Amino acid sequence: MKIDASKPLEYSTEENSNKIFGFWVFLGAEIALFATLFTVYFVMVDRFASGPSGPDLFEIGPVMIETLLLLSSSFTIGLAVHAMRHGYQKAMMVFFGLTLLMGLGFLGIEIMEFVTYVHEGATLQTSGFLSSLFVLLGTHGAHVSFGFLWGAAILIQLKRQGITPATANKSFIFSLYWHFLDVVWIFIFSFVYLKGLM
Amino acid sequence: MDWDKFKVHGEPLIYGAMASIVLATIGIIVGLTYFKKWGYLWREWLTTVDHKRIGIMYILAALLMLFRGGVDAMMMKLQTAAPDMKFLDSQHYNEVFTTHGLIMILFMAMPFIIGLMNVIVPLQIGARDVAFPRLNAVSFWLFFFGAMLLNISFVIGGSPDAGWSAYFPLASIEFSPTVGNNYYSLALQISGIGTLLTGVNFIVTILKMRAPGMKLMKMPMFTWSVLITNVIIVFAFPVLTVALALMMFDRLFGSQFFTMANGGMDMLWANLFWVWGHPEVYIVVLPAFGIYSEIIATFSKKNLYGYTSMVFSMLIISLLSFLVWAHHFYTMGQGVMVNSFFSITTMAIAVPTGVKIFNWLFTLRKGRITFTTPMLYTLAFIPIFTIGGVTGVMLAMASADYQYHNTMFLVAHFHYVLIPGAVFAVIAGFHYWFPKVFGFRLNERLGKHAFWWIIISFNVAFFPLFILGLMGMTRRQYTYSADTGFGPLSMLSFVGAVGLMIGFVILVYNIYWSTRYEPRDTDGDPWDARTLEWATKSPIPAYNFAVVPTVKTRDAFWTSKMDKVPLFEDKITKIHMPSNTGKPFILGVIFFVAGFSLVFSLWIPAIISGVGILIVLAAMSFDRDHGFYIPVEEVIATEKKLRGETV
Ligand code: HEM
Ligand SMILES: [Cu+2]
């Protein structure tokens, strides 16, 4: 393996930089995926039949907390990558761990939200609107859950192996993924919740 | 548990199929054990990450699926050969045209093309492998097990029966209560993920792994077509992923996406399906254009006319392909403005396609043409595909389409595009690149026999359908009475289908015959060809090129032969190779189990296999195997052996 010292560690081998580029391409596909889900949601948003509509259902409180948690976690994963570039393994792992914890907090609140909705009689089966809402939020939530497991696996490898070209590369790619989920959430926050509350 | 769900009743044909599947499986197991080939199979194939072997497996699977889809086609043709035939009942006919369409497009045409691109693209760009060899194996096994999942449907539980386009509400649980369309959503989902990963892999491979000096505009045309195709894959397949997921939610969990009450919207499915579906036809047709471009240049002994315009026309086609989807349902009530828009975009595609046709004709002009089998398919493609294209423009006119919609005219049209545009291309590519992979050519005499059978029978089988369509025969119609007058032409079409089958049998026989008797080729360049894949030896060594070539021009290999400029300037060094892994195969198996469990709503096995998938993924992440090196001496020895020298 040829290591190019002029580049950041995560880009230092050809394989590494290919992986990062490949992940960007994959994110292109993810954008197409969420764009489709958003389209479905916008088509369905007024088709709530006899069930509750967005304004009946949404509450700003929990959603704000979710947003804060996810935005801050995007910040901490940025800090983790920054620490990684300086070779501070401890700091990196702390920021990384914080990111995952906040992700977990986000998931907890989202699940509580879902439970509340269901108690209010808003289920996946109720209406076209609710089906599309649950699938859009659920797909994002499933991505966060997967991200949690993936991040945990990387954290273990960081602990065992330290900051190497391989672990740096994985962590960097993970940070891209995490930022992406944040961006998707911002769209959900603006166009599902804020717009739905208006 | 309700065992009845698993059974398919009453059809002697299906019992026959079950018996033959069981017998074939036992035969394979006994054979492998008897010849002690299990270890070989596992070590050399199931765990391989070599792009060439993965490509070969794709092609083998595609040939198998061609057989399966062909049997479906023959059954349909027999059923409609004469009025009031009683060979298939309506339900069975529905299942057969559905699986035929799905299998031919998703499990035959696409994998065949992906197989060829796996084998050829890394060679054409002078690379040692694809960017992510292990991911490539994951792609293959997901495709393979997705295809298997769909294929067992007709003996376990029943096949999908709502057409390959599975329109709602017909495909809903209410109107299609069997598990058939569950199979549809899950099998396509699993193989679709594989295809998406292929897309990512090849984009990176082509953009990042080209030999030094190979600028984008010096790439061979097949590589260009593959690049553009994979961009389409990356943007189109997520739409299918969503559509299939929503379908699964509707059918398994009672959501209301495509239902007729509670705010559901059946047309949403039609839109999502075709937003993926139309680009999908370009996913199979663009690489075909690439294959033809290579073949025409090689056998005219000229460089490709209008290289730049070829590239741009493909780019324009790929853009337009996302803007035409509603032409599949002009008649479903979307108003004049929408129909006009889609009418215009659809007709616009004819322009870049026409540019390509003329470029090929100009390449042929004044060329020194040799009529080899691959070249014959290419020459036949041009007029036949043009018929398909012209009838396509007829269908593109929204107001006229009210007359043609869902008739045999349409069936004739898309077979006139898909068969020359995909099947002839992969057959031509198969004949063309076969000697590269196996070190000997397919016999030309048998190849030409098969060619004439296939070309003539194709027209006999499908041209009558244009007329039948104009006479008013609808598609997906399982029988008709004598006074419709559809009988004679339907019989003629059946005769053509039999001829096609004979042609394919000769083609397969040719593989067997040539394996035994064709003389072996030693210099790796049997056609006197132009691009880099011919610069290495045949059969190709595991590392592809002992030395990575340096490229200065288009058709680099040709200029190196003509001007005697060396392609390989560097010295041989040790070569890094990825090591084999069984995890992609295991992942495929678990996906299969997960899919099967979901089809039958068996939640506990579904959850267990879901966890299994996560465990395999984790194992892949923790894997620290970074491959191995082939030492210089071994490379030199291999090269000598391939040149026929004694070591
Ligand atoms: C090899 C010879 C082939 C024959 C004899 C054949 C014959 C047929 C027939 C009889 C139908 C049903 C017409 C109807 O009743 O609606 C059909 C449908 C179809 N065929 Fe083929 N076909 C062949 C090859 C192909 C190939 C190579 C492809 C694609 C690459 C293909 C794609 C389709 C599709 C998509 C449908 C529509 C299925 C549906 O209605 O849902 N066929 N074909
Ligand atoms: Cu179309």
Side-chain angles (χ1 to χ4, degrees), chain B residues 167 265-267 270-271 326-340 342 398 401-402 405:
Chain B
Y167 280 169
M265 191 187 203
D266 49 352
M267 280 307 288
N271 279 282
H327 66 207
H328 293 274
F329 40 85
Y330 285 140
T331 58
M332 298 192 201
Q334 58 224 331
V336 178
M337 282 315 289
V338 174
N339 274 359
S340 310
F342 283 98
D401 186 55
Y402 275 71
H405 184 74

Side-chain angles (χ1 to χ4, degrees), chain A residues 4-173:
Chain A
D4 181 349
S6 68
K7 293 199 182 118
L9 204 52
E10 68 269 20
Y11 281 99
S12 56
T13 65
E14 190 191 329
E15 191 188 335
N16 272 0
S17 76
N18 282 353
K19 280 186 178 160
I20 292 173
F21 179 61
F23 199 77
W24 277 109
V25 177
F26 177 73
L27 285 184
E30 288 275 53
I31 290 173
L33 183 99
F34 278 103
T36 313
L37 284 172
F38 273 108
T39 311
V40 170
Y41 177 79
F42 292 138
V43 168
M44 291 298 199
V45 68
D46 293 324
R47 299 178 151 257
F48 42 81
S50 53
S53 69
D56 298 340
L57 214 55
F58 299 154
E59 286 171 64
I60 193 72
V63 178
M64 275 316 274
I65 303 177
E66 285 177 89
T67 310
L68 274 174
L69 278 173
L70 214 56
L71 281 182
S72 327
S73 75
S74 211
F75 182 59
T76 49
I77 195 69
L79 290 178
V81 169
H82 190 70
M84 175 182 95
R85 293 249 168 95
H86 288 81
Y88 303 149
Q89 189 186 343
K90 264 263 173 52
M92 176 186 181
M93 289 177 61
V94 170
F95 286 129
F96 210 117
L98 269 178
T99 307
L100 295 183
L101 281 182
M102 284 190 268
L104 208 57
F106 169 88
L107 282 173
I109 298 176
E110 180 155 61
I111 291 169
M112 266 156 51
E113 278 285 282
F114 279 16
V115 172
T116 322
Y117 293 166
V118 171
H119 275 298
E120 290 169 16
T123 66
L124 182 77
Q125 293 85 5
T126 311
S127 67
F129 160 66
L130 284 169
S131 300
S132 65
L133 178 74
F134 276 112
V135 169
L136 173 60
L137 296 179
T139 308
H140 178 264
H143 274 75
V144 177
S145 316
F146 181 79
F148 177 79
L149 295 176
W150 182 21
I154 296 175
L155 202 54
I156 296 172
Q157 294 175 39
L158 270 174
K159 174 123 185 64
R160 286 195 195 156
Q161 302 165 24
I163 303 178
T164 65
T167 55
N169 184 248
K170 288 179 186 186
S171 311
F172 183 76
I173 290 176

Side-chain angles (χ1 to χ4, degrees), chain B residues 271-594:
Chain B
N271 279 282
L272 289 176
F273 180 84
W274 287 112
V275 169
W276 161 79
H278 195 91
E280 165 66 16
V281 304
Y282 283 95
I283 292 171
V284 299
V285 165
L286 285 183
F289 289 173
I291 295 172
Y292 288 136
S293 301
E294 301 291 344
I295 291 176
I296 287 189
T298 298
F299 295 111
S300 310
K301 290 268 171 297
K302 283 175 67 189
N303 54 352
L304 193 65
Y305 184 88
Y307 179 97
T308 318
S309 64
M310 282 298 213
V311 172
F312 277 95
S313 53
M314 281 196 290
L315 285 171
I316 294 170
I317 291 176
S318 68
L319 267 180
L320 284 175
S321 75
F322 282 93
L323 298 174
V324 299
W325 77 90
H327 66 207
H328 293 274
F329 40 85
Y330 285 140
T331 58
M332 298 192 201
Q334 58 224 331
V336 178
M337 282 315 289
V338 174
N339 274 359
S340 310
F341 173 82
F342 283 98
S343 224
I344 292 168
T345 50
T346 304
M347 285 189 249
I349 291 196
V351 178
T353 315
V355 169
K356 298 190 76 74
I357 301 262
F358 282 108
N359 280 336
W360 287 317
L361 294 177
F362 282 123
T363 312
L364 290 169
R365 206 176 91 101
K366 294 197 177 155
R368 267 186 292 129
I369 299 175
T370 31
F371 293 94
T372 57
T373 310
M375 188 61 169
L376 286 178
Y377 280 104
T378 308
L379 294 175
F381 148 81
I382 296 176
I384 298 179
F385 187 81
T386 305
I387 298 179
V390 169
T391 51
V393 176
M394 290 166 74
L395 287 156
M397 292 184 267
S399 41
D401 186 55
Y402 275 71
Q403 196 62 30
Y404 312 127
H405 184 74
N406 266 1
T407 63
M408 278 302 178
F409 188 88
L410 168 77
V411 174
H413 152 70
F414 68 68
H415 284 89
Y416 262 82
V417 214
L418 280 168
I419 293 187
V423 182
F424 292 176
V426 292
I427 298 178
F430 185 74
H431 282 81
Y432 180 58
W433 282 309
F434 192 90
K436 184 79 260 170
V437 178
F438 294 103
F440 57 93
R441 277 191 264 195
L442 291 172
N443 181 269
E444 279 289 307
R445 202 176 45 83
L446 280 172
K448 285 174 186 167
H449 260 291
F451 166 80
W452 287 111
W453 275 99
I454 288 175
I455 294 299
I456 295 173
S457 314
F458 165 77
N459 285 290
V460 176
F462 288 100
F463 202 84
L465 301 191
F466 283 123
I467 304 166
L468 281 171
L470 295 179
M471 284 163 71
M473 186 174 187
T474 55
R475 76 189 283 203
R476 297 173 177 168
Q477 169 179 343
Y478 86 106
T479 192
Y480 51 88
S481 64
D483 42 296
T484 54
F486 300 157
L489 285 174
S490 298
M491 180 52 91
L492 182 63
S493 167
F494 170 68
V495 172
V498 174
L500 264 174
M501 198 177 69
I502 296 174
F504 281 113
V505 170
I506 302 176
L507 200 160
V508 171
Y509 174 71
N510 192 6
I511 302 176
Y512 163 78
W513 193 91
S514 309
T515 312
R516 298 204 56 172
Y517 305 115
E518 272 294 300
R520 307 293 123 153
D521 139 70
T522 44
D523 73 342
D525 180 26
W527 308 113
D528 195 9
R530 317 175 71 82
T531 39
L532 282 183
E533 74 268 32
W534 303 101
T536 178
K537 302 285 173 298
S538 321
I540 315 150
Y543 46 79
N544 293 355
F545 297 95
V547 172
V548 173
T550 314
V551 175
K552 299 195 184 67
T553 54
R554 267 177 215 163
D555 292 351
F557 182 50
W558 181 256
T559 32
S560 86
K561 284 191 286 187
M562 290 301 109
D563 309 343
K564 304 266 182 291
V565 285
L567 270 176
F568 304 104
E569 294 173 339
D570 296 338
K571 276 215 299 289
I572 294 181
T573 49
K574 62 180 180 170
I575 295 174
H576 180 253
M577 301 292 290
S579 25
N580 286 0
T581 163
K583 295 189 190 82
F585 177 78
I586 295 168
L587 194 66
V589 173
I590 304 181
F591 260 101
F592 179 86
V593 177

Side-chain angles (χ1 to χ4, degrees), chain B residues 3 59 70 82 116 203 240 259 307 325 364 423 464 540 593 603 605:
Chain B
W3 288 104
I59 293 171
L116 288 174
I203 291 178
L240 179 71
T259 50
Y307 179 97
W325 77 90
L364 290 169
V423 182
I540 315 150
V593 177
W603 307 123

